[in-house]
Amino acid sequence: SYKLPETIEKIEYNAFGDNKYLVNVDATSKLKALPDAAFKNCASLESIVLSEGLFTIGSECFMNCTSLKSICIPNGVKSILFSAFENCSALVEVNLPSTLVQIQMSAFINCSELASVFVPASADTMGDRCFGYLKAPTAELNTYIITKVENFEVSGYANSAAEEYALENGFAFDEVYCDHSETELRNFRESTCN
């Protein structure tokens, strides 16, 4: 286990990349952004606790973290960048915050165990293949075969980016009806992130 010092405000590109010994990380510090490739290729990383002050998860940040099973992205995060969780093949649960605005292209591609995702109403931009897709290399250099995760389901609100993404990509859409108070929703989110 590793705990970032609480006073840390910035880490550099690929700061923990390729570390095969990281299993659990507590990143509840003053970080405002996780830079590109910060934990890339940390194949043993099983869990990470992120800080509420975080705004951005960088490109390829958790790429190839093949032991990561769940991620609770804290309130405050507005952007999940390109390929942030690509190839997180053990990932079964993603909890997105109500502050999220954009999920870029391929953010969760090749998360083969992820069968569904709830996308909050705040997310107004969902990039190509951000959820529900797999990619496999071909014999030709830098070319891939793209396929869908079988029976992938998107949950969200009617007339939202989530519904549009599901319809455009041929995924099942589970409409969520807002009959709970904001406090009840926040309490539910906190209980599932702990």
Side-chain angles (χ1 to χ4, degrees):
S1 291
Y2 179 74
K3 179 169 176 43
L4 258 65
E6 290 181 19
T7 56
I8 295 290
E9 294 182 10
K10 182 180 179 184
I11 59 176
E12 297 299 321
Y13 169 85
N14 204 24
F16 297 95
D18 299 303
N19 186 323
K20 62 183 177 184
Y21 302 106
L22 269 183
V23 176
N24 302 299
V25 175
D26 181 343
T28 53
S29 63
K30 294 182 179 180
L31 282 177
K32 300 293 182 207
L34 285 177
D36 295 350
F39 293 92
K40 185 176 181 178
N41 299 325
C42 291
S44 299
L45 184 64
E46 293 178 4
S47 69
I48 184 162
V49 178
L50 300 173
S51 177
E52 288 275 328
L54 203 59
F55 292 111
T56 302
I57 296 177
S59 295
E60 301 181 359
C61 189
F62 294 98
M63 181 186 248
N64 300 325
C65 291
T66 54
S67 297
L68 189 64
K69 293 181 177 85
S70 67
I71 186 76
C72 184
I73 299 177
N75 276 320
V77 171
K78 294 182 184 300
S79 300
I80 300 172
L81 303 185
F82 175 79
S83 295
F85 292 90
E86 182 173 336
N87 292 330
C88 290
S89 54
L91 196 62
V92 293
E93 183 179 7
V94 174
N95 196 318
L96 301 173
S98 60
T99 55
L100 188 64
V101 176
Q102 71 166 328
I103 307 164
Q104 288 188 349
M105 180 175 146
S106 301
F108 290 87
I109 199 166
N110 259 12
C111 294
S112 54
E113 296 301 311
L114 189 62
S116 64
V117 66
F118 169 75
V119 180
S122 59
D124 61 16
T125 303
M126 294 182 70
D128 291 343
R129 300 180 305 276
C130 63
F131 286 107
Y133 283 91
L134 304 173
K135 79 176 190 181
T138 65
E140 194 174 319
L141 187 64
N142 294 325
T143 59
Y144 300 90
I145 296 172
I146 304 293
T147 59
K148 292 181 183 179
V149 173
E150 195 171 323
N151 300 318
F152 191 78
E153 182 177 283
V154 178
S155 299
Y157 296 98
N159 304 312
S160 65
E163 182 178 31
E164 183 179 334
Y165 181 80
L167 293 174
E168 285 178 357
N169 291 279
F171 295 130
F173 180 69
D174 182 25
E175 184 177 342
V176 175
Y177 298 93
C178 190
D179 58 355
H180 300 285
S181 71
E182 281 297 314
T183 303
E184 287 175 314
L185 291 171
R186 187 171 38 257
N187 289 342
F188 172 76
R189 179 176 154 65
E190 287 171 3
S191 71
T192 60
C193 284
N194 294 332

